[in-house]
C-alpha cells in the first residue's frame, strides 16, 4: 500500500471506531505491527522454537482487530461490513464471537 492509502485507511478506522465508541458498542480496537516484526513460536520435542518473521508462506495478514459488544451476531456482521475497504480487491473481514469461558470451547 502507498503512504496515501495507509493514511486514508488509518483515517477511516479512526472515524469508524469513534462512531462505535459513541454508540457504546466498541470494546477494544488495536492495529497490529507488520509481519516483519512477528515471531512464530512452535514446540518441537518439548522445547520452544522461535522463528522471526516475515514468513513467505503467509497468505493473509492480520492488520488489527475490533471487538464490539452489540445486540446480535447480525449486528456484528453489519458493523464488520463497514471495516471492509472497498478499494482493496479481495478485501474481507472475519466475524467471530469471543468465547466467554472454558465451557464455550466444548460447544
Amino acid at each position: 500500500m502507498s503512504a496515501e492509502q495507509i493514511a486514508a485507511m488509518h483515517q477511516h478506522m479512526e472515524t469508524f471506531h469513534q462512531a462505535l465508541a459513541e454508540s457504546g458498542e466498541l470494546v477494544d480496537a488495536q492495529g497490529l505491527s507488520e509481519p516483519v516484526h512477528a515471531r512464530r513460536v512452535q514446540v518441537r520435542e518439548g522445547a520452544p522454537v522461535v522463528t522471526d518473521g516475515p514468513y513467505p508462506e503467509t497468505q493473509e495478514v492480520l492488520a488489527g482487530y475490533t471487538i464490539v459488544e452489540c445486540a446480535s451476531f447480525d449486528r456484528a456482521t453489519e458493523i464488520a461490513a463497514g471495516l471492509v475497504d472497498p478499494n482493496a480487491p479481495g478485501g474481507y473481514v472475519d466475524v467471530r464471537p469471543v468465547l466467554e469461558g472454558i465451557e464455550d470451547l466444548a460447544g
Side-chain angles (χ1 to χ4, degrees), residues 2 7 18 21 33 39 41 50-51 58 61 64 67 80 88-89 101 103:
S2 71
Q18 182 61 39
S33 66
R39 287 189 174 162
V41 181
V50 179
T51 306
T58 300
V61 175
I67 299 176
E103 62 277 355

Side-chain angles (χ1 to χ4, degrees), residues 11 13 22 28 33 39 42 48-49 61 63 68-69 91 93 96:
Q11 181 59 50
M13 296 304 292
E22 290 170 3
D28 189 24
S33 66
R39 287 189 174 162
Q42 297 174 300
V49 176
V61 175
V68 297
E69 185 172 324
V93 172
R96 295 172 57 182

Side-chain angles (χ1 to χ4, degrees), residues 73-90:
F73 195 64
D74 287 339
R75 173 62 183 143
T77 303
E78 180 183 315
I79 290 169
L83 293 169
V84 178
D85 182 353
N87 299 312

